[in-house]
């Protein structure tokens, strides 16, 4: 072990807990305009990207997070055309979204151009297909500015952000959620990375809505929570049969974690997480399509207009 560098994840230092990786080779290390970035090779996890001491993506387990952050909202919605990704630097999320041929436009708003530049060099498996796809548009901006100002409206918003420190902090703010609410179409869905409830319960309590879970080995701490907000309450109760039919219609592309059954099961929350979500809900002024947020998780009571039955 002598001489080998070990890179710690310092995200949970306050809790007196660190996960540390033994480095085979540092591929890139720099301080960007916004954050500290290090990419290194690890003999088990492959390439590992860390920003400000937090694991962002590894070659070994990226598929879990990327598939669950994309296919769950897209197949639950069932008719999405316009998708907004906030953050998403490495383009792993965009790559999964673009596998849905029915999507017409994907806009990624990333604050740090150098993360995308460096992903072109080190994560061509993501950036290659994405940057070659005419439906993809990259905007370098703070997600907060974009959702506060854009005239565009979206069917699905995916917030693939860093944790609530440094540039990512504003993406867990009231103002940001209000901004997202403003640019959601009627029946739209918004999903957010909400950390691991065992260590990051506060990330859950600040979000408005419900959540679903998945286990990502390098997002240490058991379940990872993905925030879920929509004015269409039934979207998180779509049956596995309906999801399977939509998946077949989308060409049944290969996945390694997401399945229609895993999709439905992800909304069955362990009690300690469900309790945190229930506590997190605060009445809010206005939701997409002019309703109010009721006290039950993930639900927005909307002025009743019957929306057409979905296939
Ligand atoms: N999957 C990873 C996770 O769960 O920790 C996140 C991956 S992605 C690399 C996170 C991206 O969010 C980074 O590229 C970072 O630059 C970007 N980001 C952070 N704050 C942002 C902001 N305010 N607006 C837009 N992008 C932001």
């Amino acid at each position: 072990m002598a001489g080998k560098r070990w890179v710690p994840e310092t995200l949970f230092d306050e809790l007196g807990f660190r996960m540390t990786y033994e480095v085979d080779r540092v591929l890139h290390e720099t301080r960007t305009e916004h954050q500290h970035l290090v990419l290194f090779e690890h003999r088990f996890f492959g390439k590992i990207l860390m920003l400000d001491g937090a694991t962002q993506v590894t070659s070994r387990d990226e598929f879990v997070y990327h598939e669950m952050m994309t296919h769950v909202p897209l197949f639950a919605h069932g008719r999405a055309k316009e998708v907004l990704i906030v953050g998403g630097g490495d383009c792993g999320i965009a790559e999964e979204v673009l596998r849905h041929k029915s999507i017409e436009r994907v806009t990624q708003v990333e604050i740090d151009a150098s993360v995308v530049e460096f992903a072109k060099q080190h994560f061509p498996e993501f950036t290659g297909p994405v940057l070659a796809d005419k439906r993809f548009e990259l905007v370098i901006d703070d997600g907060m500015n974009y959702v506060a100002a854009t005239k565009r409206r979206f069917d699905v918003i995916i917030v693939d952000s860093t944790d609530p420190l440094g540039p990512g902090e504003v993406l867990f703010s009231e103002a940001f959620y209000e901004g997202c609410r403003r640019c959601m179409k009627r029946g739209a869905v918004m999903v957010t990375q909400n950390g691991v409830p065992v260590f990051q319960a506060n990330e859950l309590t600040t979000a408005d809505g419900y959540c679903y879970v998945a286990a990502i080995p390098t997002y240490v701490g058991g379940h990872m929570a993905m925030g879920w907000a929509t004015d269409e309450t039934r979207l998180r109760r779509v049956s596995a049969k309906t999801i399977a039919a939509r998946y077949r219609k989308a060409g049944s592309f290969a996945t390694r974690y997401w399945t229609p059954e895993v999709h439905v099961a992800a909304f069955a929350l362990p009690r300690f997480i469900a309790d945190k979500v229930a506590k997190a809900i605060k009445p809010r002024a206005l939701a997409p399509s002019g309703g109010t947020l009721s006290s039950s998780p993930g639900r927005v009571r909307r002025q009743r207009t019957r929306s057409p039955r979905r296939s």
Side-chain angles (χ1 to χ4, degrees):
M1 219 161 63
K4 277 246 175 154
R5 177 177 171 190
W6 287 71
V7 171
E9 175 165 70
T10 55
L11 191 57
F12 304 121
D13 275 11
E14 263 169 44
L15 305 174
F17 170 76
R18 272 189 177 188
M19 183 164 72
T20 311
Y21 302 98
E22 186 181 24
V23 174
D24 277 357
R25 192 160 66 97
V26 173
L27 298 172
H28 191 92
E29 184 160 16
T30 182
R31 169 147 287 284
T32 77
E33 193 193 333
H34 300 278
Q35 50 212 338
H36 176 263
L37 181 158
V38 60
L39 175 79
F40 56 91
E41 268 172 3
H42 183 271
R43 68 175 169 281
F44 180 78
F45 289 109
K47 285 179 286 188
I48 300 183
L49 167 67
M50 294 180 94
L51 293 173
D52 284 346
T55 308
Q56 300 297 308
V57 64
T58 84
S59 316
R60 164 80 60 175
D61 63 2
E62 56 79 19
F63 64 94
V64 184
Y65 173 81
H66 288 147
E67 289 182 14
M68 291 302 279
M69 283 286 278
T70 55
H71 306 319
V72 173
L74 290 174
F75 282 122
H77 185 286
R79 295 182 192 192
K81 300 283 181 234
E82 298 265 350
V83 176
L84 171 64
I85 300 168
V86 177
D90 49 64
C91 293
I93 293 280
E95 196 243 341
E96 291 295 338
V97 172
L98 290 164
R99 302 175 75 193
H100 294 250
K101 297 303 171 223
S102 57
I103 301 286
E104 289 170 5
R105 190 147 79 155
V106 179
T107 303
Q108 178 164 319
V109 179
E110 163 59 55
I111 196 168
D112 195 336
S114 51
V115 176
V116 182
E117 276 319 305
F118 130 95
K120 282 183 196 164
Q121 201 185 337
H122 296 288
F123 286 104
E125 64 272 34
F126 301 148
T127 53
V130 167
L131 299 172
D133 195 314
K134 289 193 184 50
R135 297 172 294 163
F136 180 75
E137 171 198 25
L138 177 65
V139 176
I140 299 300
D141 192 0
D142 185 330
M144 180 66 243
N145 300 341
Y146 185 83
V147 296
T150 184
K151 293 200 174 24
R152 304 255 320 276
R153 296 292 176 267
F154 300 93
D155 300 297
V156 170
I157 298 181
I158 301 174
V159 184
D160 175 28
S161 71
T162 42
D163 291 277
L165 28 96
E169 191 166 357
V170 70
L171 304 183
F172 292 77
S173 69
E174 194 85 29
F176 177 68
Y177 293 128
E178 292 303 340
C180 289
R181 200 189 304 276
R182 195 187 69 82
C183 46
M184 284 166 80
K185 287 183 191 170
R186 179 182 282 274
V189 182
M190 171 173 161
V191 297
T192 57
Q193 81 86 347
N194 267 128
V196 284
V198 163
F199 296 137
Q200 299 167 299
N202 65 330
E203 284 191 30
L204 203 51
T205 46
T206 52
D208 85 13
Y210 199 71
C211 77
Y212 58 103
V213 292
I216 295 135
T218 52
Y219 295 170
V220 68
H223 294 93
M224 167 151 199
M226 296 166 197
W228 174 267
T230 174
D231 60 353
E232 213 34 277
T233 50
R234 67 196 153 105
L235 290 188
R236 69 178 161 87
R237 295 191 189 88
V238 179
S239 69
K241 189 162 163 277
T242 302
I243 298 288
R246 290 176 183 172
Y247 179 45
R248 281 193 298 280
K249 207 165 145 207
S252 303
F253 46 75
T255 60
R256 295 173 59 204
Y257 188 91
W258 180 93
T259 68
E261 295 71 25
V262 165
H263 173 133
V264 171
F267 288 96
L269 300 178
R271 192 176 302 286
F272 84 97
I273 298 178
D275 290 349
K276 287 184 199 307
V277 170
K279 261 201 234 91
I281 297 301
K282 301 184 260 337
R284 293 190 180 281
L286 202 59
S289 58
T292 54
L293 183 63
S294 75
S295 57
S296 58
R299 204 152 80 145
V300 178
R301 190 158 304 135
R302 202 157 42 98
Q303 325 303 340
R304 280 258 145 251
T305 47
R306 279 243 143 264
S307 48
R309 287 241 131 261
R310 294 232 176 125
S311 63

